[in-house]
mmCIF file of all heavy atoms in Angstrom:
data_model
loop_
_atom_site.group_PDB
_atom_site.id
_atom_site.type_symbol
_atom_site.label_atom_id
_atom_site.label_comp_id
_atom_site.label_asym_id
_atom_site.label_seq_id
_atom_site.Cartn_x
_atom_site.Cartn_y
_atom_site.Cartn_z
ATOM 1 N N LEU A 33 -4.151 -0.764 -0.526
ATOM 2 C CA LEU A 33 -5.280 -0.852 -1.453
ATOM 3 C C LEU A 33 -6.469 -0.036 -0.960
ATOM 4 O O LEU A 33 -7.164 0.600 -1.756
ATOM 5 C CB LEU A 33 -5.666 -2.312 -1.680
ATOM 6 C CG LEU A 33 -4.620 -3.134 -2.435
ATOM 7 C CD1 LEU A 33 -5.043 -4.599 -2.494
ATOM 8 C CD2 LEU A 33 -4.370 -2.579 -3.821
ATOM 9 N N ALA A 34 -6.700 -0.028 0.353
ATOM 10 C CA ALA A 34 -7.795 0.783 0.906
ATOM 11 C C ALA A 34 -7.508 2.271 0.730
ATOM 12 O O ALA A 34 -8.399 3.044 0.360
ATOM 13 C CB ALA A 34 -8.004 0.450 2.381
ATOM 14 N N LEU A 35 -6.277 2.666 0.979
ATOM 15 C CA LEU A 35 -5.932 4.087 0.878
ATOM 16 C C LEU A 35 -5.882 4.568 -0.566
ATOM 17 O O LEU A 35 -5.955 5.778 -0.811
ATOM 18 C CB LEU A 35 -4.605 4.372 1.586
ATOM 19 C CG LEU A 35 -4.624 4.209 3.104
ATOM 20 C CD1 LEU A 35 -3.242 4.493 3.687
ATOM 21 C CD2 LEU A 35 -5.688 5.092 3.744
ATOM 22 N N ARG A 36 -5.791 3.659 -1.517
ATOM 23 C CA ARG A 36 -5.841 4.100 -2.917
ATOM 24 C C ARG A 36 -7.253 4.575 -3.260
ATOM 25 O O ARG A 36 -7.438 5.354 -4.171
ATOM 26 C CB ARG A 36 -5.338 3.016 -3.866
ATOM 27 C CG ARG A 36 -6.356 2.059 -4.378
ATOM 28 C CD ARG A 36 -5.708 0.985 -5.244
ATOM 29 N NE ARG A 36 -6.610 0.403 -6.187
ATOM 30 C CZ ARG A 36 -7.521 -0.514 -5.913
ATOM 31 N NH1 ARG A 36 -7.672 -0.961 -4.694
ATOM 32 N NH2 ARG A 36 -8.293 -0.991 -6.849
ATOM 33 N N GLU A 37 -8.223 4.121 -2.479
ATOM 34 C CA GLU A 37 -9.612 4.549 -2.680
ATOM 35 C C GLU A 37 -9.884 5.892 -2.006
ATOM 36 O O GLU A 37 -10.526 6.752 -2.585
ATOM 37 C CB GLU A 37 -10.576 3.493 -2.135
ATOM 38 C CG GLU A 37 -10.450 2.133 -2.777
ATOM 39 C CD GLU A 37 -10.825 2.126 -4.251
ATOM 40 O OE1 GLU A 37 -11.705 2.930 -4.648
ATOM 41 O OE2 GLU A 37 -10.227 1.345 -5.006
ATOM 42 N N ALA A 38 -9.385 6.038 -0.767
ATOM 43 C CA ALA A 38 -9.636 7.275 -0.012
ATOM 44 C C ALA A 38 -8.795 7.268 1.260
ATOM 45 O O ALA A 38 -8.478 6.198 1.792
ATOM 46 C CB ALA A 38 -11.116 7.375 0.367
ATOM 47 N N PRO A 39 -8.442 8.454 1.764
ATOM 48 C CA PRO A 39 -7.762 8.528 3.056
ATOM 49 C C PRO A 39 -8.653 7.930 4.153
ATOM 50 O O PRO A 39 -9.878 7.857 3.983
ATOM 51 C CB PRO A 39 -7.563 10.023 3.282
ATOM 52 C CG PRO A 39 -7.693 10.641 1.934
ATOM 53 C CD PRO A 39 -8.642 9.766 1.166
ATOM 54 N N ALA A 40 -8.039 7.514 5.263
ATOM 55 C CA ALA A 40 -8.834 6.877 6.317
ATOM 56 C C ALA A 40 -8.157 7.025 7.670
ATOM 57 O O ALA A 40 -6.943 7.226 7.766
ATOM 58 C CB ALA A 40 -9.028 5.392 6.007
ATOM 59 N N TYR A 41 -8.965 6.905 8.712
ATOM 60 C CA TYR A 41 -8.462 6.866 10.079
ATOM 61 C C TYR A 41 -8.001 5.440 10.389
ATOM 62 O O TYR A 41 -8.579 4.472 9.873
ATOM 63 C CB TYR A 41 -9.564 7.262 11.069
ATOM 64 C CG TYR A 41 -9.933 8.712 11.009
ATOM 65 C CD1 TYR A 41 -11.118 9.129 10.413
ATOM 66 C CD2 TYR A 41 -9.096 9.687 11.559
ATOM 67 C CE1 TYR A 41 -11.465 10.470 10.353
ATOM 68 C CE2 TYR A 41 -9.437 11.035 11.504
ATOM 69 C CZ TYR A 41 -10.615 11.413 10.901
ATOM 70 O OH TYR A 41 -10.946 12.746 10.840
ATOM 71 N N PRO A 42 -6.998 5.296 11.250
ATOM 72 C CA PRO A 42 -6.509 3.950 11.595
ATOM 73 C C PRO A 42 -7.600 3.027 12.133
ATOM 74 O O PRO A 42 -7.619 1.841 11.785
ATOM 75 C CB PRO A 42 -5.448 4.223 12.662
ATOM 76 C CG PRO A 42 -4.985 5.608 12.387
ATOM 77 C CD PRO A 42 -6.201 6.342 11.868
ATOM 78 N N SER A 43 -8.501 3.549 12.947
ATOM 79 C CA SER A 43 -9.548 2.699 13.516
ATOM 80 C C SER A 43 -10.464 2.159 12.415
ATOM 81 O O SER A 43 -10.889 1.000 12.466
ATOM 82 C CB SER A 43 -10.364 3.460 14.558
ATOM 83 O OG SER A 43 -10.946 4.621 13.982
ATOM 84 N N ASP A 44 -10.750 2.984 11.409
ATOM 85 C CA ASP A 44 -11.585 2.527 10.299
ATOM 86 C C ASP A 44 -10.853 1.475 9.461
ATOM 87 O O ASP A 44 -11.457 0.495 9.019
ATOM 88 C CB ASP A 44 -11.995 3.707 9.417
ATOM 89 C CG ASP A 44 -12.900 4.686 10.149
ATOM 90 O OD1 ASP A 44 -13.575 4.277 11.122
ATOM 91 O OD2 ASP A 44 -12.912 5.868 9.750
ATOM 92 N N LEU A 45 -9.559 1.679 9.258
ATOM 93 C CA LEU A 45 -8.766 0.679 8.534
ATOM 94 C C LEU A 45 -8.715 -0.632 9.303
ATOM 95 O O LEU A 45 -8.857 -1.711 8.710
ATOM 96 C CB LEU A 45 -7.343 1.203 8.293
ATOM 97 C CG LEU A 45 -7.200 2.334 7.283
ATOM 98 C CD1 LEU A 45 -5.819 2.967 7.388
ATOM 99 C CD2 LEU A 45 -7.466 1.819 5.870
ATOM 100 N N ALA A 46 -8.515 -0.547 10.618
ATOM 101 C CA ALA A 46 -8.458 -1.754 11.447
ATOM 102 C C ALA A 46 -9.771 -2.531 11.351
ATOM 103 O O ALA A 46 -9.766 -3.757 11.176
ATOM 104 C CB ALA A 46 -8.147 -1.389 12.897
ATOM 105 N N ASP A 47 -10.889 -1.820 11.461
ATOM 106 C CA ASP A 47 -12.192 -2.476 11.364
ATOM 107 C C ASP A 47 -12.401 -3.105 9.984
ATOM 108 O O ASP A 47 -12.853 -4.243 9.874
ATOM 109 C CB ASP A 47 -13.323 -1.480 11.639
ATOM 110 C CG ASP A 47 -13.354 -1.011 13.084
ATOM 111 O OD1 ASP A 47 -12.726 -1.659 13.953
ATOM 112 O OD2 ASP A 47 -14.008 0.022 13.350
ATOM 113 N N ALA A 48 -12.043 -2.368 8.929
ATOM 114 C CA ALA A 48 -12.254 -2.863 7.573
ATOM 115 C C ALA A 48 -11.399 -4.093 7.281
ATOM 116 O O ALA A 48 -11.838 -4.991 6.559
ATOM 117 C CB ALA A 48 -11.946 -1.757 6.563
ATOM 118 N N LEU A 49 -10.193 -4.137 7.847
ATOM 119 C CA LEU A 49 -9.289 -5.255 7.572
ATOM 120 C C LEU A 49 -9.345 -6.353 8.635
ATOM 121 O O LEU A 49 -8.653 -7.361 8.523
ATOM 122 C CB LEU A 49 -7.861 -4.747 7.422
ATOM 123 C CG LEU A 49 -7.660 -3.802 6.220
ATOM 124 C CD1 LEU A 49 -6.273 -3.193 6.237
ATOM 125 C CD2 LEU A 49 -7.915 -4.529 4.922
ATOM 126 N N GLY A 50 -10.149 -6.142 9.669
ATOM 127 C CA GLY A 50 -10.328 -7.178 10.683
ATOM 128 C C GLY A 50 -9.116 -7.424 11.556
ATOM 129 O O GLY A 50 -8.823 -8.566 11.900
ATOM 130 N N VAL A 51 -8.395 -6.345 11.890
ATOM 131 C CA VAL A 51 -7.234 -6.465 12.780
ATOM 132 C C VAL A 51 -7.420 -5.526 13.966
ATOM 133 O O VAL A 51 -8.258 -4.628 13.946
ATOM 134 C CB VAL A 51 -5.902 -6.135 12.037
ATOM 135 C CG1 VAL A 51 -5.678 -7.117 10.892
ATOM 136 C CG2 VAL A 51 -5.877 -4.711 11.541
ATOM 137 N N SER A 52 -6.615 -5.741 14.990
ATOM 138 C CA SER A 52 -6.689 -4.872 16.164
ATOM 139 C C SER A 52 -6.096 -3.505 15.834
ATOM 140 O O SER A 52 -5.341 -3.338 14.870
ATOM 141 C CB SER A 52 -5.931 -5.486 17.343
ATOM 142 O OG SER A 52 -4.535 -5.437 17.096
ATOM 143 N N ARG A 53 -6.411 -2.551 16.659
ATOM 144 C CA ARG A 53 -5.860 -1.203 16.452
ATOM 145 C C ARG A 53 -4.353 -1.181 16.675
ATOM 146 O O ARG A 53 -3.644 -0.427 16.033
ATOM 147 C CB ARG A 53 -6.585 -0.208 17.336
ATOM 148 C CG ARG A 53 -8.013 -0.040 16.863
ATOM 149 C CD ARG A 53 -8.799 0.941 17.646
ATOM 150 N NE ARG A 53 -10.162 0.952 17.107
ATOM 151 C CZ ARG A 53 -11.077 1.794 17.475
ATOM 152 N NH1 ARG A 53 -10.806 2.705 18.378
ATOM 153 N NH2 ARG A 53 -12.281 1.747 16.937
ATOM 154 N N GLN A 54 -3.855 -2.018 17.580
ATOM 155 C CA GLN A 54 -2.415 -2.102 17.801
ATOM 156 C C GLN A 54 -1.704 -2.653 16.568
ATOM 157 O O GLN A 54 -0.668 -2.137 16.167
ATOM 158 C CB GLN A 54 -2.095 -2.962 19.027
ATOM 159 C CG GLN A 54 -0.604 -3.045 19.330
ATOM 160 C CD GLN A 54 0.005 -1.687 19.624
ATOM 161 O OE1 GLN A 54 -0.527 -0.935 20.423
ATOM 162 N NE2 GLN A 54 1.118 -1.364 18.986
ATOM 163 N N VAL A 55 -2.270 -3.696 15.981
ATOM 164 C CA VAL A 55 -1.696 -4.244 14.749
ATOM 165 C C VAL A 55 -1.700 -3.174 13.659
ATOM 166 O O VAL A 55 -0.706 -2.985 12.951
ATOM 167 C CB VAL A 55 -2.459 -5.510 14.290
ATOM 168 C CG1 VAL A 55 -2.113 -5.890 12.861
ATOM 169 C CG2 VAL A 55 -2.171 -6.662 15.238
ATOM 170 N N MET A 56 -2.818 -2.449 13.542
ATOM 171 C CA MET A 56 -2.894 -1.407 12.528
ATOM 172 C C MET A 56 -1.857 -0.328 12.765
ATOM 173 O O MET A 56 -1.208 0.143 11.826
ATOM 174 C CB MET A 56 -4.304 -0.796 12.488
ATOM 175 C CG MET A 56 -4.487 0.245 11.401
ATOM 176 S SD MET A 56 -4.068 -0.326 9.726
ATOM 177 C CE MET A 56 -5.189 -1.692 9.529
ATOM 178 N N SER A 57 -1.673 0.055 14.003
ATOM 179 C CA SER A 57 -0.667 1.062 14.336
ATOM 180 C C SER A 57 0.723 0.615 13.896
ATOM 181 O O SER A 57 1.485 1.389 13.301
ATOM 182 C CB SER A 57 -0.691 1.343 15.838
ATOM 183 O OG SER A 57 0.321 2.248 16.186
ATOM 184 N N ASN A 58 1.041 -0.643 14.171
ATOM 185 C CA ASN A 58 2.345 -1.183 13.778
ATOM 186 C C ASN A 58 2.507 -1.213 12.258
ATOM 187 O O ASN A 58 3.577 -0.877 11.729
ATOM 188 C CB ASN A 58 2.537 -2.591 14.343
ATOM 189 C CG ASN A 58 2.659 -2.597 15.847
ATOM 190 O OD1 ASN A 58 2.984 -1.599 16.463
ATOM 191 N ND2 ASN A 58 2.367 -3.740 16.446
ATOM 192 N N GLN A 59 1.457 -1.601 11.563
ATOM 193 C CA GLN A 59 1.539 -1.685 10.107
ATOM 194 C C GLN A 59 1.643 -0.294 9.478
ATOM 195 O O GLN A 59 2.390 -0.092 8.511
ATOM 196 C CB GLN A 59 0.348 -2.457 9.526
ATOM 197 C CG GLN A 59 0.214 -3.878 10.031
ATOM 198 C CD GLN A 59 1.435 -4.743 9.745
ATOM 199 O OE1 GLN A 59 2.435 -4.319 9.194
ATOM 200 N NE2 GLN A 59 1.362 -6.000 10.133
ATOM 201 N N LEU A 60 0.921 0.665 10.026
ATOM 202 C CA LEU A 60 1.019 2.036 9.510
ATOM 203 C C LEU A 60 2.404 2.615 9.772
ATOM 204 O O LEU A 60 2.948 3.337 8.924
ATOM 205 C CB LEU A 60 -0.069 2.915 10.125
ATOM 206 C CG LEU A 60 -1.474 2.656 9.597
ATOM 207 C CD1 LEU A 60 -2.511 3.356 10.472
ATOM 208 C CD2 LEU A 60 -1.616 3.093 8.142
ATOM 209 N N ALA A 61 2.996 2.280 10.905
ATOM 210 C CA ALA A 61 4.366 2.736 11.194
ATOM 211 C C ALA A 61 5.336 2.175 10.170
ATOM 212 O O ALA A 61 6.235 2.884 9.690
ATOM 213 C CB ALA A 61 4.776 2.334 12.607
ATOM 214 N N CYS A 62 5.167 0.921 9.807
ATOM 215 C CA CYS A 62 6.018 0.305 8.784
ATOM 216 C C CYS A 62 5.837 1.009 7.443
ATOM 217 O O CYS A 62 6.815 1.352 6.773
ATOM 218 C CB CYS A 62 5.690 -1.185 8.654
ATOM 219 S SG CYS A 62 6.633 -2.012 7.355
ATOM 220 N N LEU A 63 4.597 1.255 7.057
ATOM 221 C CA LEU A 63 4.327 1.913 5.779
ATOM 222 C C LEU A 63 4.839 3.349 5.757
ATOM 223 O O LEU A 63 5.310 3.832 4.730
ATOM 224 C CB LEU A 63 2.829 1.863 5.466
ATOM 225 C CG LEU A 63 2.273 0.473 5.153
ATOM 226 C CD1 LEU A 63 0.758 0.494 5.090
ATOM 227 C CD2 LEU A 63 2.880 -0.071 3.868
ATOM 228 N N ARG A 64 4.765 4.020 6.908
ATOM 229 C CA ARG A 64 5.357 5.369 7.004
ATOM 230 C C ARG A 64 6.862 5.288 6.834
ATOM 231 O O ARG A 64 7.465 6.091 6.125
ATOM 232 C CB ARG A 64 5.022 6.023 8.347
ATOM 233 C CG ARG A 64 3.669 6.683 8.403
ATOM 234 C CD ARG A 64 3.509 7.592 9.627
ATOM 235 N NE ARG A 64 4.114 7.122 10.859
ATOM 236 C CZ ARG A 64 3.527 6.345 11.759
ATOM 237 N NH1 ARG A 64 2.287 5.941 11.574
ATOM 238 N NH2 ARG A 64 4.154 5.981 12.841
ATOM 239 N N GLY A 65 7.467 4.306 7.481
ATOM 240 C CA GLY A 65 8.904 4.120 7.386
ATOM 241 C C GLY A 65 9.366 3.807 5.976
ATOM 242 O O GLY A 65 10.482 4.166 5.584
ATOM 243 N N CYS A 66 8.517 3.146 5.203
ATOM 244 C CA CYS A 66 8.830 2.840 3.811
ATOM 245 C C CYS A 66 8.549 4.029 2.894
ATOM 246 O O CYS A 66 8.840 3.977 1.700
ATOM 247 C CB CYS A 66 8.008 1.641 3.332
ATOM 248 S SG CYS A 66 8.497 0.081 4.080
ATOM 249 N N GLY A 67 7.943 5.074 3.449
ATOM 250 C CA GLY A 67 7.647 6.265 2.657
ATOM 251 C C GLY A 67 6.415 6.147 1.791
ATOM 252 O O GLY A 67 6.243 6.921 0.846
ATOM 253 N N LEU A 68 5.527 5.205 2.109
ATOM 254 C CA LEU A 68 4.360 4.973 1.262
ATOM 255 C C LEU A 68 3.090 5.659 1.737
ATOM 256 O O LEU A 68 2.196 5.925 0.931
ATOM 257 C CB LEU A 68 4.112 3.469 1.131
ATOM 258 C CG LEU A 68 5.246 2.716 0.432
ATOM 259 C CD1 LEU A 68 5.002 1.221 0.510
ATOM 260 C CD2 LEU A 68 5.394 3.177 -0.990
ATOM 261 N N VAL A 69 2.983 5.896 3.026
ATOM 262 C CA VAL A 69 1.821 6.614 3.559
ATOM 263 C C VAL A 69 2.291 7.771 4.409
ATOM 264 O O VAL A 69 3.429 7.791 4.878
ATOM 265 C CB VAL A 69 0.878 5.700 4.383
ATOM 266 C CG1 VAL A 69 0.381 4.521 3.562
ATOM 267 C CG2 VAL A 69 1.522 5.226 5.658
ATOM 268 N N GLU A 70 1.397 8.727 4.591
ATOM 269 C CA GLU A 70 1.704 9.842 5.467
ATOM 270 C C GLU A 70 0.545 10.087 6.407
ATOM 271 O O GLU A 70 -0.614 9.851 6.064
ATOM 272 C CB GLU A 70 2.063 11.098 4.685
ATOM 273 C CG GLU A 70 1.009 11.590 3.740
ATOM 274 C CD GLU A 70 1.493 12.734 2.869
ATOM 275 O OE1 GLU A 70 2.714 12.961 2.782
ATOM 276 O OE2 GLU A 70 0.638 13.398 2.279
ATOM 277 N N ALA A 71 0.888 10.533 7.602
ATOM 278 C CA ALA A 71 -0.091 10.841 8.630
ATOM 279 C C ALA A 71 -0.464 12.313 8.522
ATOM 280 O O ALA A 71 0.407 13.168 8.353
ATOM 281 C CB ALA A 71 0.491 10.545 10.008
ATOM 282 N N VAL A 72 -1.754 12.590 8.652
ATOM 283 C CA VAL A 72 -2.243 13.964 8.580
ATOM 284 C C VAL A 72 -3.012 14.252 9.862
ATOM 285 O O VAL A 72 -4.072 13.671 10.097
ATOM 286 C CB VAL A 72 -3.158 14.169 7.345
ATOM 287 C CG1 VAL A 72 -3.669 15.595 7.294
ATOM 288 C CG2 VAL A 72 -2.426 13.786 6.072
ATOM 289 N N PRO A 73 -2.471 15.141 10.721
ATOM 290 C CA PRO A 73 -3.167 15.481 11.958
ATOM 291 C C PRO A 73 -4.531 16.120 11.660
ATOM 292 O O PRO A 73 -4.657 16.922 10.737
ATOM 293 C CB PRO A 73 -2.236 16.483 12.638
ATOM 294 C CG PRO A 73 -0.913 16.294 11.990
ATOM 295 C CD PRO A 73 -1.202 15.843 10.594
ATOM 296 N N ASP A 74 -5.514 15.740 12.457
ATOM 297 C CA ASP A 74 -6.873 16.264 12.298
ATOM 298 C C ASP A 74 -7.463 16.459 13.695
ATOM 299 O O ASP A 74 -8.152 15.580 14.205
ATOM 300 C CB ASP A 74 -7.713 15.295 11.469
ATOM 301 C CG ASP A 74 -9.113 15.801 11.174
ATOM 302 O OD1 ASP A 74 -9.335 17.029 11.246
ATOM 303 O OD2 ASP A 74 -9.981 14.968 10.859
ATOM 304 N N GLY A 75 -7.119 17.571 14.327
ATOM 305 C CA GLY A 75 -7.539 17.782 15.708
ATOM 306 C C GLY A 75 -6.836 16.790 16.606
ATOM 307 O O GLY A 75 -5.613 16.679 16.583
ATOM 308 N N ARG A 76 -7.618 16.029 17.370
ATOM 309 C CA ARG A 76 -7.047 15.033 18.277
ATOM 310 C C ARG A 76 -6.796 13.698 17.587
ATOM 311 O O ARG A 76 -6.257 12.779 18.197
ATOM 312 C CB ARG A 76 -7.972 14.846 19.467
ATOM 313 C CG ARG A 76 -8.072 16.115 20.315
ATOM 314 C CD ARG A 76 -9.043 15.978 21.454
ATOM 315 N NE ARG A 76 -8.595 14.951 22.386
ATOM 316 C CZ ARG A 76 -9.351 14.411 23.309
ATOM 317 N NH1 ARG A 76 -10.599 14.795 23.455
ATOM 318 N NH2 ARG A 76 -8.872 13.490 24.111
#
Side-chain angles (χ1 to χ4, degrees):
L33 293 175
L35 293 179
R36 90 183 205 282
E37 300 295 328
Y41 290 105
S43 58
D44 295 336
L45 290 166
D47 292 344
L49 296 173
V51 299
S52 71
R53 291 181 182 187
Q54 182 61 49
V55 166
M56 183 55 59
S57 176
N58 292 339
Q59 301 301 2
L60 287 168
C62 177
L63 291 170
R64 277 193 322 271
C66 290
L68 296 173
V69 302
E70 59 187 16
V72 179
D74 184 21
R76 295 177 64 195

